[in-house]
Amino acid sequence: MEISAPFISRMAPLFLLVSLLPCLAMAGHDYIQALSKSILFFEAQRSGVLPTTQRVSWRANSGLNDGKASGVDLVGGYYDAGDNVKFGLPMAFTVTMMSWSILEYGKQMATSGELSHAMDAVKWGTDYFIKAHPEPYVLYGEVGDGNTDHYCWQRPEDMTTDRKAYRIDPSNPGSDLAGETAAAMAAASMVFRSHNPAYSAELLRHAEQLFEFADKYRGKYDGSITVAQKYYRSVSGYNDELLWAAAWMYQATNNKYYLDYLGNNGDSLGATGWTMTEFGWDVKYAGVQTLGAKFLMQGKVGEHALVFEKYHQNAEYFMCSCIGKGTKNAQRTPGGLIFRQRWNNMQFVTSSSFLLTVYSDYLASAGKSLNCASGNVQPPELLSFAKSQVDYILGDNPRATSYMVGYGNNYPRQVHHRAASIVSYKEDSSFVSCRGGYATWFSRKASDPNLLAGALVGGPDAYDNFADQRDNYEQTEPATYNNAPLLGILARLGGGHSGYNQLLPVVLPTAKQVVTKPTPAPAATTASPISLEQKLSASWNANGKTYFRYSTMVTNKSDKALKSLSLYISKLYGPIWGLTKTGDSYSFPPWIQSLPAGKSLEFVYIHASPQAEVSVSSYTLA
């Protein structure tokens, strides 16, 4: 998690630092191995009930009551970085960039056997966004808050911090949040179009509603979800997200409405005026301009050609700046790394390198070159520069340090990450208290007990210096949006240099199914003496919501009296009658001491969700 950095415009002074160090002769990198690890990192960031296919085995279920107090199921999604908060804006950008990576280089991911893992990573995010968007003009944009979370150092499995859910709606708008989430859903709908058409259609339906919400009720999300201001403040505003969402909606639907939106609003919303030197979770203009240039090269823009030519020119300004051949160039460290800020600089390195990579292929596909202030630049030079940034990340740097955890031999061992730095819950389930985690685990000078494989940390300072210390959060904290753009670049670099035409329609190959060893069937046991039967007994609409009344029958099928019954009920978001709640469990109501053989007990509950999950925790037969 980070505190927002200032929005950089064309007027910001950026300087190119000439490398003072000789190039280090390094062996070639295994980009496919790095890709595999990069995707694996997202499994470590999962919140919710972990699936049977979970490969990061030191993590366990967490955040199982998220959204419950607000009457909505918000279990799932991703923790953004080294903390336990779920921030909607960077999570949505992460999903958009993972999806873009797959759409451009899914064929290469399939060849390496990683496409199914990458798609699973996207779906973990979009499944959560579907839950977070329960109504057309309602979107939950945060669970937990950074202030209380940062006061504690706990595993996600032990969280005692506030898990309040924060939302946007017509009275409390957030066009940037809704717009980015629309972009994520639209991009992901393309990822799943041939693999899961029904799911793809569902994502697109949410994307259309979210785009309408973002455009109709305009406002900055951090004005509505004020607890996000310290951590993910929308400095650039929401104009860029409206255009970014429209660009993805156009690609996903081929509906001219969204193309016209880009053509008619490019000037007023800033994409044709701003020339950018950064791209990331807050500032999307360079991404919009890159996609606009792509549409122009594809010959799709029709009567909007003059506006899209401005998109194209601004995209080229960005590319020239990155490679050091523009009128104002991106700063670099002496070792050659793009440097934007001291706090988690790697996010800008990977995002910029991704745009360079796809733009190189767009140009090559169209048979064009890049027009910079210093002259024409051929497409391979853009890809070569992106490769230099990735190679630096993987170890070709003055410190010979890999900034990807688990890649190479010399990588960060004291990552600023709560879950990785505390012994696994599966190894030792002893409760780690809020402040006790700081005393026992945060302050340790030893390596993390859990390997956060694939995590890309914040990286070195402006002079290539790096301190591998857990309290050095500016350099040792990873983030999901660091890794997301890297997936596409690694797939491209690992996939060879032939057969690319990125201007053709996207057709993803069939993802290889992940084969897991089947779990042996448990030994035969005696049938349970207690049966549970749920049914929907009524439903009605009130204030625009549909409410359901469920009846649950508990039957004692044994030949003895049932006593001391304890039930566990999850995903319950409304009142319940006919049981007594004690802590996290439910037992007989006061008027029933036991349930005779063959008899049943009925209880009912009402909420605006599918039926709750009811299970038997314990009981006694006498």
Side-chain angles (χ1 to χ4, degrees):
M1 174 196 308
E2 68 168 55
I3 298 175
S4 300
F7 174 39
I8 301 299
S9 74
R10 73 171 80 182
M11 302 305 294
L14 296 172
F15 303 96
L16 170 64
L17 297 183
V18 179
S19 176
L20 302 177
L21 296 174
C23 293
L24 299 175
M26 305 293 286
H29 289 288
D30 187 339
Y31 298 117
I32 298 304
Q33 180 194 113
L35 172 64
S36 300
K37 292 181 182 295
S38 292
I39 298 173
L40 197 62
F41 167 64
F42 290 99
E43 294 192 16
Q45 296 301 108
R46 284 171 170 169
S47 180
V49 180
L50 301 184
T52 57
T53 54
Q54 174 81 7
R55 295 174 295 164
V56 180
S57 59
W58 50 267
R59 279 296 322 283
N61 299 341
S62 63
L64 301 185
N65 290 314
D66 284 356
K68 187 174 182 179
S70 300
V72 63
D73 177 7
L74 295 178
V75 176
Y78 287 110
Y79 302 118
D80 73 302
D83 49 62
N84 299 327
V85 184
K86 295 191 296 200
F87 290 99
L89 183 59
M91 193 193 306
F93 178 72
T94 293
V95 171
T96 306
M97 294 308 296
M98 282 197 290
S99 298
W100 196 358
S101 291
I102 293 170
L103 293 172
E104 297 288 355
Y105 304 114
K107 292 179 181 178
Q108 290 70 37
M109 292 182 186
T111 300
S112 66
E114 292 298 331
L115 179 57
S116 61
H117 291 138
M119 292 174 67
D120 286 345
V122 170
K123 192 172 185 294
W124 194 264
T126 52
D127 283 350
Y128 173 77
F129 293 144
I130 289 172
K131 293 180 177 183
H133 183 226
E135 301 172 37
Y137 295 157
V138 172
L139 176 64
Y140 285 85
E142 184 171 330
V143 178
D145 81 271
N147 294 331
T148 57
D149 183 88
H150 282 196
Y151 180 74
C152 296
W153 194 264
Q154 291 176 293
R155 298 174 294 205
E157 295 85 356
D158 286 327
M159 281 187 293
T160 57
T161 50
D162 180 23
R163 300 301 288 174
K164 182 178 179 180
Y166 301 86
R167 73 182 220 174
I168 56 172
D169 53 41
S171 300
N172 304 280
S175 299
D176 28 24
L177 174 62
E180 181 60 69
T181 310
M185 300 293 249
S189 76
M190 300 170 69
V191 169
F192 293 101
R193 182 163 291 161
S194 61
H195 295 265
N196 191 339
Y199 187 67
S200 172
E202 183 179 12
L203 294 179
L204 195 55
R205 177 176 60 82
H206 282 278
E208 290 169 341
Q209 291 177 354
L210 285 164
F211 180 83
E212 180 181 332
F213 177 28
D215 192 39
K216 184 175 182 179
Y217 298 100
R218 295 192 181 187
K220 285 177 57 178
Y221 95 104
D222 57 13
S224 299
I225 304 178
T226 56
V227 292
Q229 289 180 1
K230 185 178 177 182
Y231 304 97
Y232 289 102
R233 187 161 60 98
S234 182
V235 183
S236 70
Y238 56 78
N239 289 349
D240 51 336
E241 276 87 7
L242 289 175
L243 294 170
W244 175 244
W248 281 107
M249 291 301 300
Y250 175 60
Q251 290 191 105
T253 64
N254 203 34
N255 186 336
K256 192 173 181 292
Y257 171 83
Y258 300 107
L259 182 71
D260 290 342
Y261 190 97
L262 290 165
N264 296 332
N265 295 284
D267 291 337
S268 62
L269 296 181
T272 60
W274 289 109
T275 48
M276 305 305 304
T277 55
E278 70 168 281
F279 173 58
W281 62 262
D282 181 26
V283 188
K284 315 291 166 47
Y285 282 117
V288 175
Q289 292 157 355
T290 299
L291 290 175
K294 175 188 177 184
F295 301 157
L296 183 68
M297 293 182 208
Q298 290 175 314
K300 291 184 174 181
V301 301
E303 69 270 25
H304 300 296
L306 292 178
V307 173
F308 278 85
E309 180 55 39
K310 295 179 184 178
Y311 282 108
H312 172 232
Q313 291 171 1
N314 288 342
E316 302 225 326
Y317 180 98
F318 175 86
M319 307 301 164
C320 295
S321 168
C322 288
I323 64 174
K325 295 192 173 183
T327 54
K328 291 186 182 296
N329 296 318
Q331 180 180 342
R332 296 187 209 169
T333 68
L337 186 73
I338 291 174
F339 188 80
R340 164 69 180 80
Q341 67 181 36
R342 65 179 188 174
W343 190 324
N344 190 16
N345 181 64
M346 281 302 185
Q347 62 177 304
F348 300 106
V349 176
T350 59
S351 294
S352 297
S353 296
F354 179 86
L355 293 188
L356 288 165
T357 300
V358 296
Y359 202 73
S360 170
D361 285 332
Y362 295 162
L363 288 174
S365 301
K368 297 179 180 294
S369 60
L370 178 66
N371 183 25
C372 293
S374 63
N376 282 353
V377 174
Q378 295 304 310
E381 189 171 339
L382 294 178
L383 183 61
S384 178
F385 182 80
K387 179 180 180 296
S388 75
Q389 299 300 291
V390 173
D391 288 347
Y392 184 109
I393 289 170
L394 298 180
D396 291 11
N397 55 65
R399 289 178 47 88
T401 296
S402 165
Y403 293 103
M404 178 183 289
V405 177
Y407 181 90
N409 296 318
N410 182 24
Y411 54 80
R413 310 281 175 160
Q414 293 189 33
V415 184
H416 184 89
H417 190 275
R418 286 159 175 76
S421 69
I422 302 174
V423 65
S424 170
Y425 183 85
K426 293 183 177 180
E427 183 177 329
D428 184 354
S429 60
S430 301
F431 176 68
V432 177
S433 68
C434 170
R435 302 303 292 174
Y438 272 110
T440 305
W441 296 102
F442 178 79
S443 59
R444 289 174 76 241
K445 300 305 178 186
S447 299
D448 295 333
N450 308 305
L451 182 67
L452 194 64
L456 182 58
V457 299
D461 66 13
Y463 304 98
D464 300 301
N465 298 315
F466 177 80
D468 183 14
Q469 298 167 352
R470 195 168 294 113
D471 60 357
N472 181 20
Y473 50 85
E474 293 184 347
Q475 295 188 326
T476 64
E477 186 173 20
T480 56
Y481 43 89
N482 294 9
N483 279 61
L486 192 58
L487 304 188
I489 316 170
L490 290 169
R492 174 65 171 88
L493 294 176
H497 301 286
S498 62
Y500 292 88
N501 189 335
Q502 304 309 108
L503 301 183
L504 293 177
V506 174
V507 180
L508 289 176
T510 301
K512 293 180 181 178
Q513 295 300 311
V514 179
V515 179
T516 57
K517 185 177 180 180
T519 304
T525 58
T526 305
S528 172
I530 305 169
S531 71
L532 300 171
E533 286 187 47
Q534 289 206 70
K535 65 179 180 180
L536 176 65
S537 57
S539 65
W540 63 92
N541 291 317
N543 298 322
K545 267 190 177 181
T546 301
Y547 290 88
F548 304 96
R549 180 184 185 274
Y550 295 96
S551 167
T552 304
M553 196 70 70
V554 182
T555 303
N556 178 10
K557 299 191 297 181
S558 76
D559 57 0
K560 298 180 180 180
L562 175 64
K563 296 183 177 181
S564 303
L565 175 66
S566 177
L567 300 176
Y568 178 73
I569 304 177
S570 62
K571 299 184 179 179
L572 174 64
Y573 308 113
I576 187 169
W577 294 271
L579 293 175
T580 298
K581 184 174 183 181
T582 306
D584 292 330
S585 63
Y586 294 82
S587 58
F588 287 135
W591 57 88
I592 294 180
Q593 301 303 312
S594 65
L595 192 63
K599 297 298 183 179
S600 298
L601 159 72
E602 182 185 26
F603 67 88
V604 299
Y605 61 90
I606 294 173
H607 65 189
S609 299
Q611 70 181 33
E613 295 180 0
V614 183
S615 59
V616 178
S617 298
S618 63
Y619 60 89
T620 301
L621 295 176

